[in-house]
mmCIF file of all heavy atoms in Angstrom:
data_model
loop_
_atom_site.group_PDB
_atom_site.id
_atom_site.type_symbol
_atom_site.label_atom_id
_atom_site.label_comp_id
_atom_site.label_asym_id
_atom_site.label_seq_id
_atom_site.Cartn_x
_atom_site.Cartn_y
_atom_site.Cartn_z
ATOM 1 N N GLN A 318 -3.096 21.254 1.940
ATOM 2 C CA GLN A 318 -2.225 22.243 1.298
ATOM 3 C C GLN A 318 -0.870 21.653 0.903
ATOM 4 O O GLN A 318 -0.105 22.287 0.174
ATOM 5 C CB GLN A 318 -2.010 23.433 2.237
ATOM 6 C CG GLN A 318 -3.249 24.288 2.415
ATOM 7 C CD GLN A 318 -3.108 25.321 3.529
ATOM 8 O OE1 GLN A 318 -2.010 25.520 4.055
ATOM 9 N NE2 GLN A 318 -4.210 25.946 3.890
ATOM 10 N N THR A 319 -0.568 20.437 1.379
ATOM 11 C CA THR A 319 0.687 19.783 1.027
ATOM 12 C C THR A 319 0.479 18.945 -0.228
ATOM 13 O O THR A 319 -0.335 18.018 -0.215
ATOM 14 C CB THR A 319 1.186 18.882 2.165
ATOM 15 O OG1 THR A 319 1.282 19.656 3.365
ATOM 16 C CG2 THR A 319 2.550 18.300 1.827
ATOM 17 N N PRO A 320 1.167 19.246 -1.310
ATOM 18 C CA PRO A 320 0.964 18.488 -2.557
ATOM 19 C C PRO A 320 1.297 17.008 -2.399
ATOM 20 O O PRO A 320 2.159 16.627 -1.599
ATOM 21 C CB PRO A 320 1.937 19.161 -3.536
ATOM 22 C CG PRO A 320 2.206 20.508 -2.962
ATOM 23 C CD PRO A 320 2.146 20.330 -1.473
ATOM 24 N N HIS A 321 0.603 16.182 -3.143
ATOM 25 C CA HIS A 321 0.869 14.747 -3.268
ATOM 26 C C HIS A 321 0.643 13.966 -1.970
ATOM 27 O O HIS A 321 1.232 12.903 -1.780
ATOM 28 C CB HIS A 321 2.304 14.502 -3.773
ATOM 29 C CG HIS A 321 2.662 15.292 -4.982
ATOM 30 N ND1 HIS A 321 2.055 15.102 -6.211
ATOM 31 C CD2 HIS A 321 3.547 16.317 -5.145
ATOM 32 C CE1 HIS A 321 2.565 15.944 -7.090
ATOM 33 N NE2 HIS A 321 3.460 16.691 -6.472
ATOM 34 N N GLU A 322 -0.194 14.471 -1.080
ATOM 35 C CA GLU A 322 -0.473 13.731 0.158
ATOM 36 C C GLU A 322 -1.147 12.393 -0.137
ATOM 37 O O GLU A 322 -0.970 11.430 0.610
ATOM 38 C CB GLU A 322 -1.365 14.554 1.095
ATOM 39 C CG GLU A 322 -0.609 15.534 1.970
ATOM 40 C CD GLU A 322 0.350 14.847 2.916
ATOM 41 O OE1 GLU A 322 -0.006 13.815 3.514
ATOM 42 O OE2 GLU A 322 1.490 15.333 3.059
ATOM 43 N N ASN A 323 -1.922 12.331 -1.220
ATOM 44 C CA ASN A 323 -2.589 11.069 -1.568
ATOM 45 C C ASN A 323 -1.576 9.968 -1.892
ATOM 46 O O ASN A 323 -1.868 8.783 -1.726
ATOM 47 C CB ASN A 323 -3.550 11.274 -2.743
ATOM 48 C CG ASN A 323 -2.845 11.818 -3.979
ATOM 49 O OD1 ASN A 323 -1.964 12.662 -3.865
ATOM 50 N ND2 ASN A 323 -3.231 11.352 -5.146
ATOM 51 N N VAL A 324 -0.361 10.347 -2.326
ATOM 52 C CA VAL A 324 0.682 9.363 -2.609
ATOM 53 C C VAL A 324 1.188 8.735 -1.316
ATOM 54 O O VAL A 324 1.469 7.539 -1.247
ATOM 55 C CB VAL A 324 1.858 10.030 -3.371
ATOM 56 C CG1 VAL A 324 3.001 9.050 -3.561
ATOM 57 C CG2 VAL A 324 1.378 10.557 -4.720
ATOM 58 N N ARG A 325 1.286 9.553 -0.261
ATOM 59 C CA ARG A 325 1.841 9.076 1.010
ATOM 60 C C ARG A 325 0.808 8.419 1.908
ATOM 61 O O ARG A 325 1.165 7.707 2.847
ATOM 62 C CB ARG A 325 2.474 10.260 1.767
ATOM 63 C CG ARG A 325 3.756 10.759 1.158
ATOM 64 C CD ARG A 325 4.317 11.949 1.925
ATOM 65 N NE ARG A 325 3.559 13.170 1.661
ATOM 66 C CZ ARG A 325 3.785 13.970 0.628
ATOM 67 N NH1 ARG A 325 4.710 13.664 -0.252
ATOM 68 N NH2 ARG A 325 3.063 15.053 0.462
ATOM 69 N N ARG A 326 -0.451 8.640 1.627
ATOM 70 C CA ARG A 326 -1.501 8.247 2.567
ATOM 71 C C ARG A 326 -1.444 6.780 2.953
ATOM 72 O O ARG A 326 -1.520 6.427 4.132
ATOM 73 C CB ARG A 326 -2.877 8.579 1.969
ATOM 74 C CG ARG A 326 -4.016 8.191 2.889
ATOM 75 C CD ARG A 326 -5.362 8.390 2.231
ATOM 76 N NE ARG A 326 -6.362 7.642 2.962
ATOM 77 C CZ ARG A 326 -7.569 7.368 2.507
ATOM 78 N NH1 ARG A 326 -7.914 7.770 1.305
ATOM 79 N NH2 ARG A 326 -8.423 6.677 3.234
ATOM 80 N N GLU A 327 -1.310 5.901 1.977
ATOM 81 C CA GLU A 327 -1.284 4.472 2.265
ATOM 82 C C GLU A 327 -0.064 4.078 3.074
ATOM 83 O O GLU A 327 -0.101 3.131 3.865
ATOM 84 C CB GLU A 327 -1.312 3.672 0.953
ATOM 85 C CG GLU A 327 -1.395 2.172 1.149
ATOM 86 C CD GLU A 327 -1.429 1.415 -0.167
ATOM 87 O OE1 GLU A 327 -1.842 2.015 -1.183
ATOM 88 O OE2 GLU A 327 -1.041 0.246 -0.179
ATOM 89 N N ALA A 328 1.042 4.816 2.909
ATOM 90 C CA ALA A 328 2.287 4.465 3.587
ATOM 91 C C ALA A 328 2.353 4.988 5.014
ATOM 92 O O ALA A 328 3.147 4.500 5.815
ATOM 93 C CB ALA A 328 3.478 5.001 2.788
ATOM 94 N N TYR A 329 1.550 5.988 5.340
ATOM 95 C CA TYR A 329 1.578 6.561 6.688
ATOM 96 C C TYR A 329 1.264 5.513 7.751
ATOM 97 O O TYR A 329 0.501 4.576 7.513
ATOM 98 C CB TYR A 329 0.556 7.687 6.809
ATOM 99 C CG TYR A 329 1.025 9.040 6.316
ATOM 100 C CD1 TYR A 329 0.160 9.873 5.610
ATOM 101 C CD2 TYR A 329 2.304 9.506 6.586
ATOM 102 C CE1 TYR A 329 0.554 11.128 5.168
ATOM 103 C CE2 TYR A 329 2.718 10.762 6.153
ATOM 104 C CZ TYR A 329 1.842 11.563 5.448
ATOM 105 O OH TYR A 329 2.243 12.804 5.015
ATOM 106 N N ILE A 330 1.813 5.697 8.944
ATOM 107 C CA ILE A 330 1.473 4.814 10.056
ATOM 108 C C ILE A 330 0.052 5.068 10.527
ATOM 109 O O ILE A 330 -0.605 4.183 11.077
ATOM 110 C CB ILE A 330 2.471 4.984 11.235
ATOM 111 C CG1 ILE A 330 2.252 3.873 12.276
ATOM 112 C CG2 ILE A 330 2.364 6.364 11.864
ATOM 113 C CD1 ILE A 330 3.292 3.841 13.366
ATOM 114 N N PHE A 331 -0.447 6.287 10.302
ATOM 115 C CA PHE A 331 -1.807 6.650 10.715
ATOM 116 C C PHE A 331 -2.526 7.308 9.554
ATOM 117 O O PHE A 331 -2.018 8.270 8.967
ATOM 118 C CB PHE A 331 -1.774 7.602 11.914
ATOM 119 C CG PHE A 331 -3.138 8.058 12.367
ATOM 120 C CD1 PHE A 331 -3.951 7.220 13.122
ATOM 121 C CD2 PHE A 331 -3.614 9.316 12.021
ATOM 122 C CE1 PHE A 331 -5.208 7.639 13.532
ATOM 123 C CE2 PHE A 331 -4.870 9.744 12.428
ATOM 124 C CZ PHE A 331 -5.670 8.899 13.193
ATOM 125 N N ASP A 332 -3.696 6.777 9.212
ATOM 126 C CA ASP A 332 -4.494 7.344 8.133
ATOM 127 C C ASP A 332 -5.315 8.507 8.689
ATOM 128 O O ASP A 332 -6.192 8.304 9.527
ATOM 129 C CB ASP A 332 -5.434 6.277 7.565
ATOM 130 C CG ASP A 332 -6.250 6.784 6.388
ATOM 131 O OD1 ASP A 332 -6.051 7.951 5.984
ATOM 132 O OD2 ASP A 332 -7.080 6.020 5.862
ATOM 133 N N PRO A 333 -5.044 9.754 8.264
ATOM 134 C CA PRO A 333 -5.770 10.913 8.818
ATOM 135 C C PRO A 333 -7.266 10.865 8.592
ATOM 136 O O PRO A 333 -8.019 11.517 9.315
ATOM 137 C CB PRO A 333 -5.135 12.113 8.094
ATOM 138 C CG PRO A 333 -4.468 11.544 6.894
ATOM 139 C CD PRO A 333 -4.047 10.161 7.257
ATOM 140 N N VAL A 334 -7.710 10.097 7.609
ATOM 141 C CA VAL A 334 -9.148 9.979 7.354
ATOM 142 C C VAL A 334 -9.859 9.385 8.573
ATOM 143 O O VAL A 334 -11.026 9.689 8.849
ATOM 144 C CB VAL A 334 -9.406 9.123 6.094
ATOM 145 C CG1 VAL A 334 -10.882 8.813 5.923
ATOM 146 C CG2 VAL A 334 -8.886 9.858 4.863
ATOM 147 N N GLN A 335 -9.152 8.562 9.352
ATOM 148 C CA GLN A 335 -9.766 7.966 10.535
ATOM 149 C C GLN A 335 -10.082 9.001 11.606
ATOM 150 O O GLN A 335 -10.901 8.763 12.491
ATOM 151 C CB GLN A 335 -8.853 6.879 11.112
ATOM 152 C CG GLN A 335 -8.724 5.663 10.215
ATOM 153 C CD GLN A 335 -8.105 4.471 10.929
ATOM 154 O OE1 GLN A 335 -7.632 4.571 12.048
ATOM 155 N NE2 GLN A 335 -8.116 3.336 10.270
ATOM 156 N N ALA A 336 -9.424 10.152 11.535
ATOM 157 C CA ALA A 336 -9.708 11.229 12.483
ATOM 158 C C ALA A 336 -10.639 12.269 11.874
ATOM 159 O O ALA A 336 -10.800 13.364 12.406
ATOM 160 C CB ALA A 336 -8.404 11.888 12.925
ATOM 161 N N GLY A 337 -11.246 11.917 10.737
ATOM 162 C CA GLY A 337 -12.185 12.830 10.082
ATOM 163 C C GLY A 337 -11.521 13.859 9.207
ATOM 164 O O GLY A 337 -12.138 14.851 8.815
ATOM 165 N N ILE A 338 -10.228 13.645 8.886
ATOM 166 C CA ILE A 338 -9.479 14.586 8.051
ATOM 167 C C ILE A 338 -9.439 14.058 6.629
ATOM 168 O O ILE A 338 -8.971 12.940 6.397
ATOM 169 C CB ILE A 338 -8.046 14.785 8.582
ATOM 170 C CG1 ILE A 338 -8.106 15.452 9.964
ATOM 171 C CG2 ILE A 338 -7.211 15.618 7.622
ATOM 172 C CD1 ILE A 338 -6.772 15.528 10.660
#
Side-chain angles (χ1 to χ4, degrees):
Q318 290 170 10
T319 305
H321 310 294
E322 275 297 318
N323 58 321
V324 175
R325 288 179 285 275
R326 180 186 163 195
E327 184 180 336
Y329 276 140
I330 190 172
F331 178 78
D332 183 2
V334 172
Q335 292 194 352
I338 295 172

